[in-house]
């Protein structure tokens, strides 16, 4: 922590000295970065923020995935346009841990007001994560897509694809979104809800019931009655 009684110039010089080593060691965590952000706000000085971003970017190509994750974790706190670009690029990182954190931070960004509209034009770049070999990456990717405006991509196709995923948590994201979408009465969607009635997971079966309310035909009613038994 920076001593509170340090002169402002001394604080800034001190931060510039310790930031590179803190990145290399993985010690530059969210708490320390928030402390830096608060200090800069208090001093009214944005130079250190620019220095922090530039220094983080220097370590982004590091061969150690832990350092690359450290870079992403701290860049995500800066909330800059460059941050969004780096997170999207990192969805193609060779290491699954880095890709997972990139998808996780994108999902977190999409929960902020106004951010879904800003990221909507970039849906195509996010789509690569929907086919990731890592379950965790796919979970966060589908959750991120669930936050985007539905007219920014083929929502029905994306969430039907999620419903066919081998990972139960991905299927749950897909069913939740399909059940919440209004005005969709496609046979494929009805079939997805009907198939989900046979899932082992009670939460998946619950989402199937919520979805079948959009299809009040004899088959749906029969399935719902069966689930009540």
């Amino acid at each position: 922590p920076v001593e509170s009684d340090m002169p402002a110039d001394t604080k800034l010089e001190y931060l510039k000295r310790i930031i590179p080593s803190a990145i290399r060691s993985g010690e530059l965590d969210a708490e320390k970065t928030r402390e830096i952000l608060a200090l800069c706000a208090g001093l009214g000085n944005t130079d250190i923020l620019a220095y922090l971003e530039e220094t983080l970017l220097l370590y982004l190509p590091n061969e150690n995935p832990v350092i690359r994750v450290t870079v992403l974790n701290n860049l995500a706190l800066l909330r800059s346009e460059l941050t969004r670009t780096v997170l999207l690029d990192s969805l193609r990182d060779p290491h699954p841990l880095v890709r997972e954190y990139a998808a996780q931070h994108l999902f977190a960004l999409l929960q902020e007001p106004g951010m879904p509209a800003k990221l909507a034009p970039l849906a195509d770049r996010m789509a690569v994560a929907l086919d990731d070999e890592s379950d965790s990456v796919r979970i966060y990717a589908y959750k991120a897509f669930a936050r985007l405006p539905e007219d920014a991509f083929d929502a029905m196709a994306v969430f039907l694809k999620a419903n066919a995923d081998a990972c139960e948590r991905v299927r749950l994201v897909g069913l939740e979104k399909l059940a919440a979408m209004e005005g969709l009465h496609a046979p494929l969607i009805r079939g997805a809800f009907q198939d989900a009635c046979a899932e082992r997971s009670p939460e998946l079966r619950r989402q199937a019931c919520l979805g079948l309310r959009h299809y009040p035909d004899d088959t749906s009613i029969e399935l719902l009655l069966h689930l009540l038994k």
Side-chain angles (χ1 to χ4, degrees):
V2 179
E3 296 296 333
S4 60
D5 57 351
M6 278 187 184
D9 291 345
T10 304
K11 288 179 182 179
L12 294 176
E13 289 304 315
Y14 172 74
L15 288 173
K16 286 185 176 181
R17 287 200 308 272
I18 67 168
I19 283 174
S21 61
I23 296 172
R24 288 193 300 270
S25 66
E27 293 179 358
L28 187 63
D29 57 16
E31 182 179 354
K32 290 185 176 67
T33 298
R34 290 191 184 97
E35 183 181 352
I36 293 172
L37 294 176
L39 177 61
C40 291
L43 295 174
N45 188 314
T46 60
D47 290 347
I48 193 65
L49 293 183
Y51 174 77
L52 175 60
E53 186 173 72
E54 291 170 4
T55 306
L56 286 167
L57 290 174
L58 289 176
Y59 287 91
L60 190 60
N62 194 282
E63 63 181 13
N64 186 340
V66 174
I67 291 180
R68 298 201 299 278
V69 168
T70 297
V71 170
L72 292 186
N73 288 345
N74 288 281
L75 276 176
L77 294 172
L78 302 184
R79 297 294 194 264
S80 67
E81 186 173 343
L82 180 61
T83 294
R84 299 195 290 273
T85 300
V86 170
L87 292 176
L88 287 164
D89 289 344
S90 295
L91 293 175
R92 296 180 179 274
D93 192 277
H95 199 281
L97 183 64
V98 179
R99 299 196 304 273
E100 178 182 344
Y101 273 90
Q104 183 177 342
H105 286 307
L106 282 169
F107 171 61
L109 278 177
L110 282 163
Q111 297 181 71
E112 297 184 359
M115 196 56 68
K118 291 181 179 180
L119 282 174
L122 304 174
D124 287 347
R125 292 181 63 187
M126 291 172 56
V128 64
L130 301 178
D131 295 312
D132 200 280
E133 63 183 17
S134 165
D135 287 356
S136 295
V137 174
R138 295 198 310 282
I139 290 167
Y140 281 114
Y142 276 107
K143 289 172 72 173
F145 267 84
R147 302 286 304 183
L148 291 174
E150 292 170 11
D151 60 357
F153 61 102
D154 189 342
M156 186 175 79
V158 165
F159 295 113
L160 280 173
K161 180 179 179 178
N163 188 58
D165 198 276
C167 175
E168 181 179 296
R169 290 180 61 191
V170 172
R171 296 200 302 278
L172 180 58
V173 174
L175 281 175
E176 285 177 340
K177 187 61 179 180
L178 288 172
M181 293 171 70
E182 299 291 340
L184 293 182
H185 301 289
L188 284 174
I189 297 179
R190 178 175 59 183
F193 292 135
Q194 291 174 347
D195 292 344
C197 289
E199 287 273 11
R200 295 179 60 184
S201 164
E203 186 56 34
L204 285 171
R205 296 198 302 274
R206 175 177 176 274
Q207 292 302 322
C209 291
L210 292 174
L212 284 175
R213 64 184 176 168
H214 299 301
Y215 304 90
D217 55 23
D218 291 343
T219 302
S220 297
I221 293 171
E222 183 178 344
L223 285 168
L224 292 171
L225 288 172
H226 177 73
L227 288 172
L228 288 173
K229 295 179 180 179

